[in-house]
């Protein structure tokens, strides 16, 4: 069982990008996602307007910046030790739902109590967009849960990240 005390973004970047790219897909013209939000590139939403267009290079650059920012946001929400797999899964989860939403969600509440297995079981609760259960979110959450559990769970008395 691996316990990571000082995870750096570079340690988990490839896993984060792999998860996001697998489930977001890339569109170079703005579109409305299933939740009705203007989106472009690899799921980028900030400042996107209908009709916006970007290049593949721009989409990849924005993803790299966004993924790092969501990783940093996710770390601010967590008070327990994480493994690399956990950090990647939680960053993908925050990227999809927004860090401000994640702050009060049951998955993070259980995680921060040290209830790693209970938190892992919560991924499946977040498979709806606009009140509709989406097959793509079911698959994404299953993959995030798998990544979250990949390295085992730190002992519940571990402190730090």
């Amino acid at each position: 069982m691996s316990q990571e005390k000082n995870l750096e973004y570079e340690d988990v970047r490839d896993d984060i990008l792999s998860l996001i790219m697998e489930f977001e897909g890339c569109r170079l013209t703005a579109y409305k996602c299933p939740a009705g939000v203007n989106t472009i590139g690899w799921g980028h939403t900030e400042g996107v307007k209908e009709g916006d267009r970007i290049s593949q290079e721009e989409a990849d650059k924005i993803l790299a910046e966004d993924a790092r920012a969501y990783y940093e946001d996710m770390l601010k929400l967590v008070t327990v030790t994480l493994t690399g797999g956990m950090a990647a899964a939680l960053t993908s989860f925050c990227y999809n739902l927004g860090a401000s939403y994640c702050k009060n969600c049951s998955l993070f509440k259980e995680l921060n109590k040290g209830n790693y297995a209970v938190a892992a079981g919560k991924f499946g609760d977040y498979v709806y967009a606009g009140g509709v259960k989406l097959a793509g979110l079911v698959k994404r959450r299953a993959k995030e849960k798998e990544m979250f559990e990949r390295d085992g769970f730190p002992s519940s008395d571990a402190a730090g990240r």
Side-chain angles (χ1 to χ4, degrees), residues 71-93:
Y71 173 78
E72 296 297 333
D73 288 344
M74 178 277 300
L75 286 179
K76 292 174 188 170
L77 301 177
V78 175
T79 60
V80 295
T81 300
L82 298 177
T83 65
M86 289 174 171
L90 293 168
T91 302
S92 173
F93 186 80

Side-chain angles (χ1 to χ4, degrees), residues 44-99:
H44 180 77
T45 58
E46 188 176 330
V48 178
K49 298 180 290 303
E50 191 172 332
D52 283 355
R53 297 183 62 82
I54 59 174
S55 69
Q56 186 66 55
E57 275 185 32
E58 290 171 305
D60 293 346
K61 182 176 185 267
I62 292 168
L63 171 60
E65 292 167 357
D66 285 352
R68 180 182 281 277
Y70 275 96
Y71 173 78
E72 296 297 333
D73 288 344
M74 178 277 300
L75 286 179
K76 292 174 188 170
L77 301 177
V78 175
T79 60
V80 295
T81 300
L82 298 177
T83 65
M86 289 174 171
L90 293 168
T91 302
S92 173
F93 186 80
C94 286
Y95 188 93
N96 184 236
L97 292 171

Side-chain angles (χ1 to χ4, degrees), residues 11-137:
D11 299 329
V12 294
R13 178 188 56 224
D14 291 347
D15 286 336
I16 291 169
L17 293 176
S18 175
L19 278 172
I20 292 171
M21 293 170 83
E22 179 177 351
F23 292 102
E24 292 292 342
C26 185
R27 292 164 105 179
L28 303 178
T29 303
Y31 66 98
K32 292 235 187 258
C33 73
V37 178
N38 285 330
T39 306
I40 201 163
W42 297 99
H44 180 77
T45 58
E46 188 176 330
V48 178
K49 298 180 290 303
E50 191 172 332
D52 283 355
R53 297 183 62 82
I54 59 174
S55 69
Q56 186 66 55
E57 275 185 32
E58 290 171 305
D60 293 346
K61 182 176 185 267
I62 292 168
L63 171 60
E65 292 167 357
D66 285 352
R68 180 182 281 277
Y70 275 96
Y71 173 78
E72 296 297 333
D73 288 344
M74 178 277 300
L75 286 179
K76 292 174 188 170
L77 301 177
V78 175
T79 60
V80 295
T81 300
L82 298 177
T83 65
M86 289 174 171
L90 293 168
T91 302
S92 173
F93 186 80
C94 286
Y95 188 93
N96 184 236
L97 292 171
S100 60
Y101 177 84
C102 292
K103 181 179 182 177
N104 294 309
C105 77
S106 60
L107 191 156
F108 276 82
K109 286 180 181 178
E110 291 298 333
L111 175 66
N112 286 327
K113 291 179 193 173
N115 297 333
Y116 294 102
V118 175
K122 295 288 185 182
F123 279 98
D125 293 351
Y126 299 90
V127 295
Y128 296 88
V132 177
K133 188 174 188 174
L134 299 180
L137 287 179

